[in-house]
Amino acid sequence: MSREMAYYYDQPSHTFSEYLLVPGYSSAECVPANVSLKTPLVKFKQGETPALSLNTPLVSAIMQSVSNDTMAIALAREGGVSFIYCSQPIERQAEMVRRVKSYKAGFVITDSAVHADNTLADILALKEKTGHSTVAVTEDGTSTGKLIGIITSRDYRVSRMDRGTKVSSFMTPLDRIIYANDGTSLSEANDIIWEHKINVLPIVDDQQRLVSFVFRKDYDVHKANVHELLDSSKRYLVGAGVNTRDYEQRIPALVEAGVDVLCIDSSEGFTEWQKRTLAFVREQYGDRVKIGAGNVVDRDGFRFLADAGADFVKVGIGGGAICITREAKGIGRGQATAVIEVAQARDEYFEETGIYIPICSDGGIVHDYHITLALAMGSDFCMLGRYFARFDESPSNKVVVNGNYMKEYWGEGSARARNWQRYDSGGDARLSFEEGVDSYVPYAGSLRDNLAISLSKVKSAMCNCGSLTIPHLQQNARIALVSSVSIVEGGAHDVLVRDQQVSAISS
């Protein structure tokens, strides 16, 4: 009696680092300033405009250590979207969504506040944790309490003051502060700042409770936010993750809070559980609520989720920096190979149905040029975790490790997160074993500064390929699989790098 054998793929799967873009002809118009990175976020019919698009082809991962309301505001300001993590109580996640949707650009809701009885040591510790040099002093020590003063770096000198000195003795009291009432417009607030030559303007309500701050330094920043992602009411766009267990309660709460787009958070999307979740959304909301699904790594997985009603499909299993799914279970596929096959399936689906379903490359991005490769291979946008975890705006703590500033970064499948819903296979409500690690990543500063550099590289590479848009890049890019020796050749080699030599001598 004959027995069927397991299916074996003819070719090995590959990662982004195994490919290079081959340059094409660049016209005089092909300069980075002319490149558009606009890309669809959700599915649309041929000839129609997507209901939601991104101005920057990046979204932040559905992770505790990456995406909260602070990250969502910062990324929307730059043209991308954050998917606020779902491994938390429903109401807390919904409240994060509400904070993003109620945020007024230029009005900063602070998380740095102290009581008058706190000390200089507390101020220094808070500054170390948040990076904020302006601290509110309130009656109850909370960021929404009655304002009684503020502290900036001008109010103290660490070298000349005892760290036990109470805040009340060196803060700038309210009677010496210029402030404005809630309801003041951003234009009016900036006029007050310039008229009185101050750096920060507190905004308070009718009971003198702190509402927000407006900073002088933000004026030029907000003027420069040409790519910010706004809804029809001029509010920032925000996404949120959902799981396949409590979606019947979580999704209505998020929709009520004003979420713009949802995404099923799962390590593996080719499942009955995702089909049920998508069916619930379509039955309850029709096409009004947008929801992505995944993750998948092949044609069959894409087709399954497309037929189930996904608005976009995430691609990638086991390629994340903190993900050990491949190591723990032997499940996954090289990210480049997965993206290439799913992109082909997406195009085939479009030809058959006239419906274009965007795909998101999730994981495997180590270097900035990997973003360009992912886009060239067919991704409409990329989801990044480690990349965004390094910035001031991520929710994790900044710590010192071996003398270097680092940010904490942990996987949703780690014991720390214990997000068992992400790995739900219909069994017990618990995390049986880890599929993620708890780690640190080098602290990198602000999102805005770092993202500008990364996007400059992407735009420059696109110009080298003769492309001014992502669709053109996908249609015309020439991509070469390279040998291991070519990869070595691509970096600095056969020289002694000056910075490393100086460092070695000084140490």
Side-chain angles (χ1 to χ4, degrees):
M1 185 176 85
S2 62
R3 185 173 67 88
E4 290 188 9
M5 297 286 289
Y7 179 80
Y8 290 86
Y9 287 86
D10 294 333
Q11 299 294 326
S13 63
H14 297 284
T15 67
F16 293 131
S17 291
E18 296 176 79
Y19 289 92
L20 288 174
L21 290 160
V22 176
Y25 170 73
S26 298
S27 67
E29 290 74 31
C30 205
V31 294
N34 292 336
V35 172
S36 169
L37 294 178
K38 189 166 185 176
T39 191
L41 176 59
V42 296
K43 68 182 178 184
F44 59 96
K45 292 180 180 179
Q46 188 172 14
E48 296 184 355
T49 301
L52 297 174
S53 294
L54 300 168
N55 292 327
T56 296
L58 301 178
V59 300
S60 66
I62 311 169
M63 301 175 68
Q64 294 175 6
S65 54
V66 178
S67 298
N68 64 348
D69 50 307
T70 305
M71 177 61 70
I73 291 167
L75 187 50
R77 189 178 289 148
E78 305 302 325
V81 163
S82 279
F83 286 88
I84 293 175
Y85 69 93
C86 57
S87 51
Q88 61 176 319
I90 293 172
E91 183 49 42
R92 188 187 302 167
Q93 186 188 21
E95 179 56 32
M96 287 187 180
V97 170
R98 278 191 286 270
R99 284 203 290 268
V100 177
K101 299 308 290 186
S102 63
Y103 180 82
K104 293 183 290 185
F107 293 85
V108 179
I109 300 173
T110 186
D111 57 357
S112 295
V114 295
H115 190 278
D117 288 335
N118 283 111
T119 65
L120 175 59
D122 296 323
I123 295 294
L124 298 176
L126 188 59
K127 183 179 179 181
E128 180 74 19
K129 178 182 178 181
T130 66
H132 301 158
S133 58
T134 299
V135 178
V137 185
T138 61
E139 280 192 349
D140 61 3
T142 70
S143 57
T144 56
K146 186 175 181 179
L147 185 68
I148 60 174
I150 62 172
I151 294 172
T152 70
S153 55
R154 294 181 178 182
D155 291 313
Y156 59 88
R157 293 185 67 178
V158 177
S159 61
R160 297 190 178 185
M161 292 173 61
D162 186 284
R163 295 190 178 223
T165 305
K166 287 193 174 183
V167 163
S168 57
S169 68
F170 63 90
M171 71 179 187
T172 301
L174 189 65
D175 59 9
R176 290 172 49 199
I177 297 172
I178 302 296
Y179 60 90
N181 295 322
D182 193 20
T184 301
S185 70
L186 183 59
S187 177
E188 292 169 336
N190 281 315
D191 286 344
I192 294 171
I193 287 173
W194 289 98
E195 179 184 348
H196 293 276
K197 299 179 181 180
I198 56 179
N199 291 321
V200 59
L201 178 71
I203 306 295
V204 300
D205 65 14
D206 55 5
Q207 296 183 43
Q208 209 174 299
R209 291 182 303 228
L210 179 63
V211 176
S212 60
F213 285 130
V214 178
F215 292 94
R216 173 192 286 262
K217 64 181 176 61
D218 286 344
Y219 178 79
D220 292 333
V221 172
H222 293 298
K223 285 289 185 183
N225 288 336
V226 295
H227 298 301
E228 61 184 359
L229 211 56
L230 304 173
D231 64 16
S232 58
S233 300
K234 304 294 185 183
R235 302 174 302 176
Y236 285 134
L237 258 61
V238 59
V242 298
N243 61 60
T244 57
R245 280 280 178 140
D246 65 12
Y247 60 88
E248 293 179 325
Q249 295 78 43
R250 190 174 294 270
I251 290 176
L254 293 171
V255 171
E256 190 276 331
V259 74
D260 296 286
V261 58
L262 302 169
C263 184
I264 301 174
D265 178 35
S266 176
S267 65
E268 209 280 291
F270 198 173
T271 71
E272 175 70 19
W273 314 112
Q274 295 222 1
K275 184 177 181 180
R276 291 182 186 180
T277 305
L278 293 169
F280 170 81
V281 171
R282 297 298 167 238
E283 290 167 4
Q284 296 294 316
Y285 304 101
D287 290 328
R288 181 167 61 87
V289 169
K290 307 302 182 183
I291 180 169
N295 288 19
V296 298
V297 292
D298 65 1
R299 175 178 278 97
D300 293 341
F302 170 84
R303 190 67 187 228
F304 173 81
L305 293 176
D307 290 340
D311 284 296
F312 65 85
V313 173
K314 279 206 297 144
V315 182
I317 295 176
I322 42 67
C323 184
I324 55 171
T325 294
R326 298 180 193 175
E327 185 178 316
K329 298 194 299 188
I331 297 292
R333 201 176 193 190
Q335 187 66 8
T337 300
V339 167
I340 291 168
E341 181 172 322
V342 173
Q344 291 172 345
R346 184 266 321 279
D347 293 343
E348 292 167 1
Y349 189 86
F350 179 58
E351 291 177 8
E352 291 177 27
T353 66
I355 298 173
Y356 186 91
I357 301 178
I359 64 171
C360 168
S361 178
D362 178 17
I365 302 293
V366 180
H367 305 290
D368 288 339
Y369 82 89
H370 289 171
I371 298 172
T372 316
L373 274 170
L375 297 173
M377 290 173 176
S379 298
D380 296 280
F381 54 99
C382 299
M383 177 172 279
L384 307 177
R386 179 194 61 86
Y387 179 88
F388 289 115
R390 303 173 302 147
F391 303 147
D392 289 321
E393 294 83 357
S394 76
S396 66
N397 292 322
K398 184 171 71 172
V399 297
V400 177
V401 179
N402 296 327
N404 298 310
Y405 283 114
M406 310 288 282
K407 289 276 281 186
E408 296 178 320
Y409 179 48
W410 60 95
E412 289 297 294
S414 67
R416 181 171 183 172
R418 299 208 67 80
N419 182 8
W420 63 269
Q421 294 96 334
R422 189 174 199 272
Y423 304 89
D424 185 20
S425 297
D428 294 335
R430 63 187 181 88
L431 189 68
S432 300
F433 53 87
E434 290 186 290
E435 292 190 43
V437 298
D438 197 342
S439 63
Y440 301 102
V441 290
Y443 168 66
S446 74
L447 179 149
R448 184 181 182 87
D449 293 343
N450 285 275
L451 187 61
I453 294 171
S454 297
L455 295 181
S456 292
K457 294 178 184 177
V458 172
K459 291 179 178 180
S460 180
M462 288 175 62
C463 287
N464 292 145
C465 296
S467 297
L468 292 176
T469 67
I470 292 172
H472 188 274
L473 176 69
Q474 293 169 344
Q475 294 163 10
N476 295 278
R478 297 185 296 165
I479 304 171
L481 185 65
V482 299
S483 68
S484 59
V485 179
S486 295
I487 295 172
V488 173
E489 182 186 61
H493 60 91
D494 301 313
V495 295
L496 183 62
V497 179
R498 288 175 62 90
D499 288 345
Q500 294 177 1
Q501 175 67 0
V502 171
S503 176
I505 292 173
S506 63
S507 62

